[in-house]
Amino acid sequence: MAVSSNVLVRRRSPVAVWLAENGALVALVVLVVGLSLLSSDFLSVTNLLNVGVQAAVTAILAFGSTFVIVTGGIDLSVGSVAALSAIVLAWGATPAGWPWPVATVAGLAVGVACGLVNAVLIAYGKLPPFIATLAMLGVARGLALVISQGSPIELPAQVAHLGDTIGRYLPVPVIVMVVMGVVAAVILNRTYAGRAMYAIGGNEEAARLSGIKVDRQKLITYALSGGFAAVAGIVLASRLASAQPQAATGYELDAIAAVVIGGASLSGGKGRALGTFVGALILAVLRNGLNLLSVSAFWQQVVIGVVIALAVLVDTLRRRETS
Amino acid sequence: MTGDILRAEGLRKQFPGVLALDGVDLSLRAGEVHVLLGENGAGKSTLIKILSGAYHPDGGRVLMDGRPVRIRSAGDARALGIATIYQEFNLVPQLTVAENLALGRPPRRFGLVDRARMERDAADLLARVDVRVDPRTPVGRLGIARMQMVEIAKALALEARVLIMDEPTAVLTTGEVEKLFAIVRQLRDEGVAIVFITHHLEEIPQIGDRVTVLRDGRSVAEVPASTPHDELVRLMVGRPIDQQYPRRPARPGEPLLKVRGLTRRGVFADVSFEVRAGEVVGVAGLVGAGRTEVARALFGADHYDAGEVTVNGRRLPPGDVHAAMEAGLGLVPEDRKGQGLVLGAAVAENLGLVTLRDATRAGFVDRRGQRTAAAKVADQLGIRMAGLDQEVRTLSGGNQQKVVIGKWLVAGARVLILDEPTRGVDVGARVEIYQLVNELTAAGDAVLMISSDLPEVLGMSDRILVMARGRLVGELPAARATQDDVMAMAVAEVEGGRVQ
């Protein structure tokens, strides 16, 4: 039997393959070039740093969501968990009077704990991820309001430095975003947990029959998502120098959009940290650009909705072509 | 011939890699029960799926009342008066009996559903199949037998002229079978043509009028239902066995896999056997005999109620895949795409799936080492691919199967359970898989091979275990056994009926 009949690979030029694989990156470049032609302010250093800071919180949330989406799940609670973590940190440091490192650890631990609760409901309670994390979306937001009694709480000064800019050109949120992005990439590519995420998302039953303890890996996955959400919440609060119970409302949808624009599939098994990073940048650049072009906030929502639909549509069409 | 209500002539159907039907004829008269007989994979399912509009034939034609018809969808089949009752019923469990019977075309009054009339109609239909059940009962609360009767009533509601029943007795107890037969005879006397699929030879003279035997995608005979069993078995399996089974028996050593009294209530009972180092033990039986269920249970993929499994001298905790793996057990599942592979991932990823944990140090996977191991096994198995990064989805069936087997070779499994290892695999790759089995047993590993392909079981096993209705009903030495021996055991009634 001829080899060619067994190997059904479409021969395409490497350039075409690269473009198809990195569609989001291409879109980002086109967007940047287009906006720099349309608006003279866009390419200024100040504005680009602004875009970076804008992208940071979404990107950090989205890195966490990437883990979950790669396993074929979804985490709707990340916005609420981000707010709750920041509130716990601020409340611990100011009214409760804990030393700021203890308060910070407490804030991060709350995020991880929320993720673990999600995972227990999903892995052992057999709730659909959508429902379990929808419940957590409400619970975490509610707890944030209860603890803060509905008012912003001042952040300890040491933590608020996370919102600073080092020198003139190095905003700390951007550094945190890059570090978290690298951590996410390493987890996804190099660790057992990460490789297991791809296997579970690709075919949960095959993963189980290959000896992967699927339930335990889900615990790790959602805990990571909660932990990343906590970091995002703290970065967001540091920019405002206070933790606000209503902060990051609706951010979970931006995070999911960033992951999906970055080429991940909601059915699982596919997604990269770099893609998610590009997805978050596209959203931030788009918002910034539309502001510079004085497009009304109402129309911005329309444009961003269309972009999300287009991104997924292009990806779906591409996949249909290859299968 | 006149009098045929439905005729199929020279039906052909090609699937990727498999010629499922290769010239099938069927003539069906009004008022007869026509039994369709054949081994697993002979083409029965494909044939009924063509008649019910689920598949389109690549060649041949179907005639109704002497006129050629095209059945392109389930709707077309319904319009022609062809109703099919599959083993998995087409009922909505949450809806009531009456709603199911009127599904898609409920009686209406002033644009609203006329529930009173719907329930009256349902009661009439239920009376015709002699089922006493309140039409307002949700279908999900009925037992299997009564659900089946609701399916039959549904066919009556559509005024079906042809009723196709796919193994309707497989799920029924002896008393329920009697009742089903009474209804089938009644429908036959009303002039309905019935296609009846069964694996139980003893049912054929009881219910059938004529029998069409399928073998390897061809209709090989049309005989009266009174034909003796021996003759039917011979027609079913009587193909020339080509020497494509290069089994080289190895000297059996210590028992590597010991199974004692394995029982899962309602599925299988008291299954005990051993597989020695160097041995290939085949497991034959009909679909639904419980072979796959036993394999999954002893591997830890499903739970069991009683019994014990020992691998390499180590007693396995039930329901723990990880422990089974650690002890050296590997499972190549029958559903390759659904359970064996991560289709969207690369060959290297799939080959490294089982060893992912072992290749991890302090949380980090040694991906280079994994890749080297994958490359070695891919080479050993002769997996034809563009490279280790090729998506498994795009490989041929045979090469996909080699990847599933390969991940256990990478892991160094000593006892391999192969469930239908060559289903959907082309002839060339088949022989390569057999050769691999020879290499494994020569090296002192053990293989438990479940297969519905009788020549394969006979050709590649050292011993053959036969299962029927959840029990191990016999053991045959492969060297002296014939297909007829195995088949006779597999279709034999187990004393006391089914496992409860």
Side-chain angles (χ1 to χ4, degrees):
Chain A
M1 182 162 292
V3 170
S4 58
S5 69
N6 279 330
V7 185
L8 306 167
V9 188
R10 206 167 292 200
R11 304 273 169 217
R12 287 187 300 182
S13 79
V15 177
V17 171
W18 189 89
L19 286 178
E21 298 266 299
N22 297 279
L25 194 55
V26 175
L28 179 62
V29 170
V30 169
L31 204 56
V32 166
V33 171
L35 284 173
S36 52
L37 293 178
L38 287 172
S39 161
S40 52
D41 298 329
F42 179 77
L43 269 189
S44 73
V45 173
T46 330
N47 187 56
L48 288 183
L49 289 180
N50 199 13
V51 170
V53 173
Q54 296 287 342
V57 172
T58 310
I60 297 167
L61 285 175
F63 291 137
S65 291
T66 308
F67 301 128
V68 173
I69 288 172
V70 164
T71 65
I74 193 99
D75 191 345
L76 295 176
S77 69
V78 293
S80 298
V81 170
L84 177 62
S85 299
I87 287 287
V88 165
L89 192 170
W91 176 84
T94 315
W98 304 340
W100 71 267
V102 175
T104 306
V105 170
L108 292 172
V110 163
V112 171
C114 288
L116 285 173
V117 171
N118 280 334
V120 167
L121 290 174
I122 292 159
Y124 300 98
K126 303 292 170 205
L127 288 192
F130 191 99
I131 302 300
T133 60
L134 182 63
M136 182 57 76
L137 177 147
V139 169
R141 181 69 65 189
L143 287 176
L145 287 162
V146 168
I147 294 171
S148 66
Q149 293 171 333
S151 317
I153 310 175
E154 199 186 334
L155 218 54
Q158 294 88 339
V159 180
H161 283 313
L162 278 175
D164 291 354
T165 300
I166 300 172
R168 285 187 58 193
Y169 299 120
L170 215 49
V172 180
V174 172
I175 300 174
V176 177
M177 166 174 73
V178 170
V179 169
M180 295 307 277
V182 170
V183 168
V186 169
I187 290 175
L188 284 170
N189 287 320
R190 295 272 171 254
T191 67
Y192 179 79
R195 302 321 298 169
M197 287 172 199
Y198 285 97
I200 291 168
N203 186 340
E204 189 166 325
E205 183 65 5
R208 196 168 77 89
L209 292 181
S210 298
I212 291 171
K213 293 181 176 167
V214 172
D215 293 342
R216 188 182 297 178
Q217 293 306 317
K218 283 187 181 169
L219 284 180
I220 295 173
T221 304
Y222 284 87
L224 279 170
S225 177
F228 274 60
V231 172
I234 294 167
V235 169
L236 179 61
S238 71
R239 277 172 45 206
L240 310 165
S242 74
Q244 307 197 354
Q246 296 286 16
T249 303
Y251 278 30
E252 56 280 345
L253 299 182
D254 269 9
I256 295 167
V259 176
V260 169
I261 292 173
S265 157
L266 282 185
S267 52
K270 204 164 155 278
R272 288 189 303 167
L274 183 61
T276 296
F277 181 58
V278 171
L281 285 182
I282 286 179
L283 286 178
V285 166
L286 207 54
R287 285 219 170 90
N288 174 269
L290 293 171
N291 273 334
L292 291 179
L293 298 176
S294 314
V295 176
S296 88
F298 303 154
W299 277 109
Q300 289 190 18
Q301 298 197 30
V302 175
V303 171
I304 287 171
V306 169
V307 165
I308 293 169
L310 273 181
V312 181
L313 196 62
V314 167
D315 194 50
T316 311
L317 291 176
R318 185 170 63 81
R319 211 166 312 164
R320 199 180 302 164
E321 183 198 323
T322 51
S323 67
Chain B
M1 193 200 293
T2 52
D4 280 356
I5 183 168
L6 181 146
R7 261 182 97 74
E9 294 178 353
L11 287 180
R12 284 171 50 82
K13 177 72 191 172
Q14 170 91 48
F15 291 114
V18 191
L19 188 56
L21 292 189
D22 186 17
V24 166
D25 302 328
L26 177 71
S27 93
L28 199 57
R29 293 181 200 141
E32 78 162 335
V33 176
H34 198 119
V35 177
L36 216 49
L37 191 64
E39 286 184 274
N40 302 324
K44 300 181 304 261
S45 299
T46 311
L47 173 59
I48 64 171
K49 281 188 174 154
I50 287 175
L51 295 180
S52 58
Y55 292 160
H56 310 279
D58 299 324
R61 57 179 193 161
V62 178
L63 302 98
M64 284 284 292
D65 301 316
R67 278 188 299 279
V69 291
R70 305 193 71 164
I71 311 172
R72 293 200 190 134
S73 67
D76 287 357
R78 201 180 309 153
L80 288 166
I82 302 173
T84 307
I85 301 177
Y86 291 104
Q87 280 174 279
E88 306 82 33
F89 301 135
N90 263 323
L91 297 170
V92 186
Q94 292 84 1
L95 296 186
T96 66
V97 172
E99 284 167 327
N100 268 285
L101 289 173
L103 210 58
R105 28 159 215 91
R108 270 172 236 189
R109 208 165 163 234
F110 311 124
L112 300 175
V113 172
D114 183 352
R115 294 197 76 93
R117 204 179 123 206
M118 188 167 81
E119 280 157 21
R120 267 202 316 278
D121 292 353
D124 291 348
L125 288 166
L126 292 169
R128 279 179 71 188
V129 292
D130 194 21
V131 175
R132 271 172 290 275
V133 54
D134 187 335
R136 287 167 297 188
T137 315
V139 158
R141 284 211 221 127
L142 304 179
I144 295 275
R146 291 208 286 181
M147 281 198 207
Q148 194 173 57
M149 289 300 166
V150 173
E151 278 273 18
I152 296 174
K154 221 167 108 187
L156 293 180
L158 299 168
E159 285 168 11
R161 300 169 63 209
V162 175
L163 178 61
I164 302 172
M165 308 180 83
D166 188 5
E167 291 201 52
T169 58
V171 290
L172 301 183
T173 62
T174 317
E176 291 166 344
V177 168
E178 283 309 315
K179 212 168 155 216
L180 173 71
F181 283 0
I183 299 297
V184 169
R185 287 192 198 104
Q186 182 195 322
L187 292 175
R188 177 192 64 193
D189 295 342
E190 289 171 14
V192 179
I194 293 151
V195 177
F196 196 95
I197 297 181
T198 182
H199 276 302
H200 301 301
L201 298 179
E202 74 281 357
E203 291 173 2
I204 294 173
Q206 292 177 42
I207 190 69
D209 295 305
R210 290 190 295 167
V211 181
T212 290
V213 183
L214 297 187
R215 188 205 305 151
D216 294 340
R218 294 197 184 91
S219 43
V220 292
E222 193 199 86
V223 294
S226 55
T227 310
H229 285 188
D230 300 357
E231 176 66 7
L232 290 175
V233 169
R234 195 190 61 75
L235 287 169
M236 228 161 54
V237 300
R239 67 191 127 188
I241 307 174
D242 28 352
Q243 273 310 317
Q244 280 172 345
Y245 307 99
R247 174 70 188 141
R248 290 192 310 270
R251 179 175 306 163
E254 290 294 296
L256 282 184
L257 171 66
K258 283 196 242 178
V259 178
R260 288 275 163 273
L262 206 64
T263 300
R264 180 172 177 190
R265 256 173 256 122
V267 184
F268 53 81
D270 199 23
V271 174
S272 303
F273 61 90
E274 281 183 6
V275 186
R276 295 165 168 283
E279 228 185 359
V280 178
V281 173
V283 186
L286 300 171
V287 166
R291 298 170 298 166
T292 295
E293 290 77 6
V294 168
R296 284 179 57 91
L298 71 91
F299 182 63
D302 294 329
H303 73 92
Y304 50 85
D305 298 314
E308 57 175 84
V309 180
T310 315
V311 175
N312 234 337
R314 235 195 283 181
R315 169 109 187 247
L316 298 185
D320 189 342
V321 171
H322 195 74
M325 263 173 52
E326 296 276 299
L329 197 57
L331 171 71
V332 176
E334 72 177 327
D335 179 3
R336 183 159 61 230
K337 293 180 179 175
Q339 301 177 346
L341 295 166
V342 183
L343 285 174
V347 173
E349 289 287 317
N350 274 282
L351 283 172
L353 215 48
V354 179
T355 46
L356 201 54
R357 173 56 78 189
D358 291 338
T360 302
R361 294 283 171 277
F364 287 87
V365 177
D366 173 15
R367 289 189 78 182
R368 194 173 300 166
Q370 283 274 79
R371 212 179 156 81
T372 312
K376 201 171 137 225
V377 166
D379 189 49
Q380 181 193 345
L381 293 177
I383 297 172
R384 290 181 201 90
M385 55 185 182
L388 286 171
D389 294 319
Q390 187 178 346
E391 254 187 48
V392 163
R393 187 193 309 279
T394 58
L395 295 178
S396 73
N399 284 300
Q400 287 183 346
Q401 187 69 311
K402 286 187 202 167
V403 172
V404 185
I405 298 174
K407 70 180 181 183
W408 293 109
L409 297 192
V410 175
R414 298 237 24 226
V415 183
L416 265 190
I417 306 169
L418 307 177
D419 195 353
E420 303 291 357
T422 62
R423 182 179 285 171
V425 170
D426 57 85
V427 180
R430 254 172 195 250
V431 176
E432 287 175 296
I433 289 171
Y434 297 147
Q435 234 109 34
L436 177 71
V437 167
N438 280 332
E439 285 166 30
L440 291 174
T441 51
D445 295 344
V447 172
L448 182 70
M449 185 178 74
I450 298 169
S451 173
S452 297
D453 184 335
L454 279 179
E456 172 175 283
V457 174
L458 289 165
M460 282 308 297
S461 314
D462 301 323
R463 286 186 291 135
I464 299 170
L465 306 174
V466 184
M467 280 193 74
R469 300 194 167 168
R471 283 171 192 277
L472 216 50
V473 292
E475 182 183 326
L476 297 163
R480 292 197 303 278
T482 66
Q483 297 193 35
D484 295 9
D485 297 340
V486 176
M487 216 47 197
M489 253 185 202
V491 298
E493 286 287 334
V494 184
E495 316 162 56
R498 286 145 234 255
V499 183
Q500 291 301 328

